[in-house]
């Protein structure tokens, strides 16, 4: 089992639970014309569970780096164009 510093499950649970809310689904329908199936968030949650229970820390980090959530929070489509990204 990986510690919270390696795999923080609360981030993935929060993203998935945000996606299934009525407000988020209403916004998606208004903006895109269809509801979001929350598949990316659900897959991320399953990956995070797999990473959490894995015994290898390097493997767990590699799994987390491949998630949609990680990619979405580290790569900004407007970074460098509209504003400069801050260093963490």
């Amino acid at each position: 089992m990986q510690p919270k510093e390696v795999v923080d499950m609360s981030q993935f649970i929060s993203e998935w639970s945000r996606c299934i809310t009525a407000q988020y689904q209403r916004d998606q329908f208004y903006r895109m014309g269809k509801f979001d199936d929350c598949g990316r968030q659900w897959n991320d949650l399953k990956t995070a569970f797999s990473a959490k229970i894995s015994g290898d820390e390097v493997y767990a980090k590699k799994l987390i780096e491949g998630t949609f959530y990680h990619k979405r929070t580290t790569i900004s489509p407007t970074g460098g164009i509209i504003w400069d990204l801050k260093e963490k």
Side-chain angles (χ1 to χ4, degrees), residues 20-57:
I20 61 173
T21 63
Q23 180 179 355
Y24 177 81
Q25 292 296 329
R26 184 194 67 220
D27 290 346
Q28 282 296 107
F29 188 74
Y30 177 76
R31 293 177 186 158
M32 306 294 185
K34 62 181 181 177
F35 294 113
D36 188 349
D37 68 356
C38 301
R40 294 179 297 195
Q41 290 84 355
W42 178 247
N43 288 334
D44 280 359
L45 185 60
K46 292 189 297 185
T47 302
F49 276 119
S50 297
K52 186 71 171 178
I53 62 172
S54 75
D56 184 13
E57 185 175 328

Side-chain angles (χ1 to χ4, degrees), residues 58-71:
V58 175
Y59 176 69
K61 287 181 179 180
K62 186 175 181 180
L63 283 175
I64 295 300
E65 288 173 0
T67 61
F68 171 73
Y69 176 78
H70 179 75
K71 291 175 186 171

Side-chain angles (χ1 to χ4, degrees), residues 1-17:
M1 178 94 70
Q2 299 299 323
K4 185 176 180 178
E5 294 78 31
V6 176
V7 180
D8 186 5
M9 292 299 299
S10 63
Q11 295 173 340
F12 296 97
I13 293 169
S14 177
E15 279 293 305
W16 179 72
S17 61

